[in-house]
Amino acid sequence: MKRARRVIPCLLSVVLAAYLVLVDYPALMATLNGGSEAERSVAVLNAAGSSEAEPEKSEAIAEDDAESSAESLEDQTAALEAELEELYQQCEATSVALCFDQLSELVYSDIYPALAEEGVTGTIVFTNSWLTGDNGRIQTTEFSKLMSAGWSYAVGGDSTLELTGTQEEVVAAWQARLETYLGRIRVRSGVSPTIYCFREGEYLPAYDEILEELGFTTIRYYPEDAAEDDNESTLLKVVGIPVSEESQADEILDELRAYPGAVLVAQVTDNGQLESYLDLVDALQESDTVTLTTFDAAVEAASDAEQQALRTEILEKEAVLETRDAE
């Protein structure tokens, strides 16, 4: 009986414990699940908030970077413009000489008096084997008057002469033709040129030594020929810029900006060329970026390495600004 009384309470304790477990388990699980869901909800909300904030933050940073970059570019441009302005102040006007090929009689009858009014002289170039006194060319007495008025003279190539073969053969033919022509000029006009004016594409570095041996001191060649020059001779050299009826003053002036000294090369053999050339001369005289001068003065200016370097730097900086403006 006593044993039964002890067993009954034990059984009741077991039943009660089982009941409590069965009754509280769903609540307990609900509590546990609810806690996990809450935690997950918080994590999801935090993640969502973070994903929404990140684009906004990135856009703001991108805008700040863009503004900073724009300001930096503006500062650089302003600094470059200021540097250019200083360089412009140091840049002297281009010394420009006027050269006339083929001994046209219009040079004496029309160009000479027009230039004389402005105190400007030019250079007569013996080319294409023409001589003073030939039909349609300056007469020998007229040539002498030009020389007395301060004009200079030179000798150049022959557009009718075809030089073919090896370079050695071309050089030999060129030399033979030049020596013959110089002899004829001395006989007809009584002068011995010391300036040689190459035609476009005619120049070869091998000619330098020959010209020095013949008593020449100066040559005129073209920009593309200058690139082939090995600079090993003592000859003075100046770049020539060809002009024609189609040449525009603003284009010529722009091209001249690259050189401290240069020569304008023209053939004025008819009234159309004459009119357009005199208009060009008027435009040059009105410009403050060039000075019309003698051949010797143009050559001297062309040898100014400091001014040449200055102009090269200006053109490079201007190219950078143009690129930025185009972007």
Side-chain angles (χ1 to χ4, degrees), residues 61 67 74 134 140 143 146 179 197 205 210 215 271 275 278:
I61 292 174
E67 290 178 5
E74 287 179 5
D134 287 350
T140 303
F143 175 79
L146 289 176
E179 290 177 347
C197 294
I210 296 171
N271 289 326
E275 185 176 348
L278 292 178

Side-chain angles (χ1 to χ4, degrees), residues 306-326:
E306 195 172 307
Q307 279 289 312
Q308 185 61 66
L310 180 65
R311 290 165 182 275
T312 300
E313 186 177 0
I314 286 174
L315 294 176
E316 289 174 350
K317 290 183 182 297
E318 286 180 339
V320 172
L321 281 180
E322 288 176 5
T323 300
R324 289 182 181 175
D325 289 341

Side-chain angles (χ1 to χ4, degrees), residues 1-298:
M1 187 69 180
K2 289 181 182 179
R3 186 177 178 185
R5 282 198 296 266
R6 285 198 297 270
V7 170
I8 290 171
C10 290
L11 290 173
L12 290 173
S13 296
V14 172
V15 172
L16 180 60
Y19 172 79
L20 289 174
V21 170
L22 292 172
V23 171
D24 290 342
Y25 180 76
L28 178 61
M29 291 305 295
T31 301
L32 292 175
N33 288 337
S36 297
E37 289 296 331
E39 289 175 2
R40 283 197 293 270
S41 297
V42 170
V44 169
L45 288 173
N46 288 340
S50 174
S51 63
E52 290 176 1
E54 281 301 323
E56 293 178 2
K57 183 178 179 182
S58 298
E59 290 174 8
I61 292 174
E63 289 177 3
D64 289 342
D65 289 345
E67 290 178 5
S68 176
S69 177
E71 290 175 0
S72 175
L73 190 57
E74 287 179 5
D75 291 343
Q76 292 174 17
T77 300
L80 190 56
E81 290 174 344
E83 290 173 13
L84 271 171
E85 192 57 40
E86 282 187 32
L87 294 175
Y88 290 146
Q89 298 301 321
Q90 302 171 43
C91 193
E92 298 174 0
T94 301
S95 294
V96 179
L98 305 177
C99 257
F100 304 93
D101 287 355
Q102 297 196 11
L103 304 177
S104 170
E105 61 183 357
L106 290 176
V107 174
Y108 180 80
S109 62
D110 293 82
I111 292 178
Y112 164 51
L115 295 183
E117 291 181 5
E118 305 296 334
V120 178
T121 59
T123 300
I124 291 291
V125 185
F126 290 82
T127 54
N128 284 17
S129 297
W130 291 111
L131 296 170
T132 58
D134 287 350
N135 186 36
R137 309 297 143 184
I138 293 174
Q139 299 304 299
T140 303
T141 54
E142 295 171 342
F143 175 79
S144 298
K145 290 179 181 178
L146 289 176
M147 299 306 105
S148 298
W151 281 55
S152 56
Y153 56 89
V155 63
D158 189 339
S159 62
T160 66
L161 182 65
E162 292 188 15
L163 298 175
T164 58
T166 65
Q167 180 169 312
E168 191 174 291
E169 291 170 338
V170 166
V171 170
W174 175 87
Q175 181 177 357
R177 177 261 172 192
L178 175 58
E179 290 177 347
T180 299
Y181 196 18
L182 289 174
R184 296 177 64 205
I185 291 172
R186 281 192 293 270
V187 171
R188 180 73 65 88
S189 305
V191 296
S192 297
T194 57
I195 302 170
Y196 189 90
C197 294
F198 283 95
R199 300 179 63 81
E200 286 188 89
E202 179 187 16
Y203 174 77
L204 291 173
Y207 294 148
D208 287 359
E209 184 177 352
I210 296 171
L211 290 171
E212 288 177 313
E213 290 174 353
L214 292 174
F216 285 84
T217 60
T218 310
I219 67 171
R220 181 205 77 199
Y221 51 16
Y222 292 84
E224 60 271 25
D225 298 323
E228 303 296 324
D229 188 4
D230 57 19
N231 297 308
E232 292 184 357
S233 74
T234 60
L235 292 170
L236 298 174
K237 298 172 180 179
V238 63
V239 167
I241 308 295
V243 298
S244 65
E245 286 183 81
E246 291 73 34
S247 298
Q248 300 297 313
D250 56 347
E251 294 175 354
I252 295 297
L253 288 168
D254 189 56
E255 191 168 0
L256 287 170
R257 293 176 63 243
Y259 308 101
V263 175
L264 290 187
V265 186
Q267 295 178 10
V268 183
T269 57
D270 59 49
N271 289 326
Q273 293 174 333
L274 174 63
E275 185 176 348
S276 64
Y277 190 82
L278 292 178
D279 288 342
L280 174 61
V281 170
D282 287 341
L284 294 176
Q285 289 177 310
E286 292 173 1
S287 172
D288 57 2
T289 62
V290 303
T291 300
L292 296 184
T293 186
T294 64
F295 195 98
D296 288 343

